[in-house]
């Protein structure tokens, strides 16, 4: 791949990110967040493939903060039908989401996409190598084979597999499959469970505490069942 084409692709990715970033504030709609994060991951995967330094500075911070807000929004949605039973918990989650939006606004005003774009293009002009790009392509088959053959699969292993599959599909080296969506859904279960444990209200009624504990236990069971199914499917493709 020639440097001129690499620069053209990177500019296109950054233009899409810039467009989505301008649609963010003030509402931070889940759909726009998802679209921005998807395009960010595509850019990150491409930069990794062409052996250019990763996405710099404030844009990376913006992406991670968007991930925090996304998890909180999903948690609000996940517990929507439980609102009468979890008033204190949902109040904390909503408060955290609003704080996250405020932090995002502080980053966004500094124009992180445009600044990152400039740094990335400079890095490509001075550091892109076609040989390193070829070595990346040659290494991917071995990477997939290695990652699919652990002695056991931890939650972290499944997350690593998901990230590798996503990078390969973003670079059109692997056809996206329902398995990737299932790995994503499993990670969402992990995040939901983490948020249940992280934001226990200091003050809540006994009735709400019992309900929250039951909700956590049910989620643990769902996650366990999903993990077993994922492991069976991963082993079947070896």
């Amino acid at each position: 791949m020639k440097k001129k084409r690499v620069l053209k692709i990177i500019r296109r990715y950054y233009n899409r990110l810039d467009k989505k970033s301008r649609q963010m504030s003030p509402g931070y709609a889940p759909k726009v967040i998802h679209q921005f994060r998807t395009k960010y991951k595509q850019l990150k995967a491409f930069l990794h493939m062409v052996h250019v330094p990763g996405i710099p500075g404030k844009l990376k911070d913006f992406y991670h903060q968007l991930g925090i807000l996304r998890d909180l929004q999903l948690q609000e949605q996940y517990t929507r039908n439980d609102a009468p039973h979890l008033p204190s918990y949902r109040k904390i989650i909503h408060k955290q989401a609003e704080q996250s939006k405020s932090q995002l606004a502080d980053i966004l005003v500094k124009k992180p996409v445009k600044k990152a774009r400039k740094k990335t293009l400079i890095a490509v002009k001075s550091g892109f190598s076609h040989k390193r790009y070829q070595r990346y392509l040659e290494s991917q088959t071995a990477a997939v084979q290695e990652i699919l053959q652990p002695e056991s699969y931890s939650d972290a292993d499944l997350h690593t597999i998901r990230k590798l599959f996503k990078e390969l599909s973003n670079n059109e080296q692997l056809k996206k499959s329902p398995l990737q969506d299932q790995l994503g859904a499993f990670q969402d279960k992990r995040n939901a469970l983490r948020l249940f444990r992280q934001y226990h209200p200091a003050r809540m009624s006994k009735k709400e505490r019992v309900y929250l504990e039951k909700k956590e236990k049910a989620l643990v069971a769902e996650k366990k069942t999903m993990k077993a199914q994922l492991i069976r499917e991963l082993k079947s493709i070896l």
Side-chain angles (χ1 to χ4, degrees):
M1 186 180 295
K2 295 183 178 180
K3 185 181 294 187
K4 186 176 180 180
R5 175 165 170 73
V6 171
L7 289 168
K8 182 178 180 180
I9 292 171
I10 290 172
R11 288 190 183 100
R12 185 171 68 236
Y13 278 131
Y14 269 113
N15 288 341
R16 291 171 179 172
L17 282 175
D18 186 51
K19 180 180 178 180
K20 288 302 168 185
S21 71
R22 286 184 274 108
Q23 297 173 359
M24 289 284 179
S25 184
Y28 294 94
K31 181 178 180 180
V32 178
I33 289 175
H34 173 70
Q35 291 171 340
F36 183 95
R37 282 172 53 82
T38 296
K39 296 182 187 309
Y40 178 100
K41 290 171 186 174
Q42 290 170 347
L43 171 60
K44 182 180 177 181
F46 182 76
L47 293 179
H48 188 195
M49 181 174 70
V50 297
H51 275 262
V52 173
I55 298 172
K58 289 295 182 181
L59 182 54
K60 186 183 294 184
D61 295 340
F62 186 72
Y63 169 79
H64 288 309
Q65 192 63 46
L66 277 177
I68 292 172
L69 178 57
R70 173 191 178 274
D71 290 343
L72 291 165
Q73 288 176 334
L74 286 177
Q75 195 75 340
E76 285 190 284
Q77 181 181 351
Y78 181 63
T79 59
R80 183 173 297 162
N81 293 334
D82 306 294
H85 308 286
L86 296 173
S88 301
Y89 176 76
R90 281 177 53 82
K91 184 177 180 179
I92 288 179
I93 292 298
H94 180 72
K95 180 180 178 180
Q96 293 296 322
E98 292 304 306
Q99 289 179 355
S100 183
K101 289 178 184 179
S102 178
Q103 292 171 353
L104 284 164
D106 290 342
I107 300 173
L108 196 55
V109 76
K110 297 175 183 177
K111 303 185 183 302
V113 177
K114 290 184 178 180
K115 290 182 179 179
R117 178 181 185 272
K118 183 178 180 180
K119 290 181 180 179
T120 299
L121 292 176
I122 290 173
V124 173
K125 289 175 182 177
S126 62
F128 173 70
S129 164
H130 183 73
K131 289 183 178 180
R132 287 200 298 269
Y133 162 68
Q134 287 183 312
R135 286 199 296 270
Y136 168 88
L137 297 179
E138 292 166 358
S139 70
Q140 294 313 293
T141 300
V144 171
Q145 290 297 322
E146 181 178 352
I147 204 170
L148 289 178
Q149 299 186 60
E151 293 182 5
S152 62
Y153 289 88
S154 67
D155 289 0
D157 288 332
L158 294 177
H159 187 46
T160 300
I161 291 169
R162 179 197 175 211
K163 289 192 292 185
L164 178 58
F165 282 1
K166 188 175 289 291
E167 178 173 321
L168 292 173
S169 62
N170 282 337
N171 284 326
E172 298 182 350
Q173 293 179 276
L174 181 71
K175 185 176 180 181
K176 185 176 180 181
S177 70
L179 180 58
Q180 287 177 250
D181 291 331
Q182 293 169 32
L183 286 164
F186 178 75
Q187 183 62 27
D188 286 342
K189 294 287 185 187
R190 289 184 68 197
N191 290 334
L193 188 58
R194 173 179 55 80
L195 290 174
F196 272 133
R197 292 167 175 170
Q198 184 175 352
Y199 292 115
H200 271 256
R203 296 180 181 179
M204 73 167 90
S205 67
K206 181 179 178 181
K207 187 175 181 180
E208 182 174 357
R209 191 180 304 280
V210 170
Y211 191 92
L212 185 60
E213 289 172 354
K214 287 182 178 179
K215 190 79 175 175
E216 285 184 40
K217 289 180 181 178
L219 186 55
V220 168
E222 291 174 25
K223 177 174 161 288
K224 183 177 180 180
T225 299
M226 184 180 290
K227 182 175 181 179
Q229 176 63 29
L230 279 170
I231 292 173
R232 285 195 293 271
E233 292 193 35
L234 286 168
K235 289 183 175 180
S236 72
I237 65 176
L238 289 177

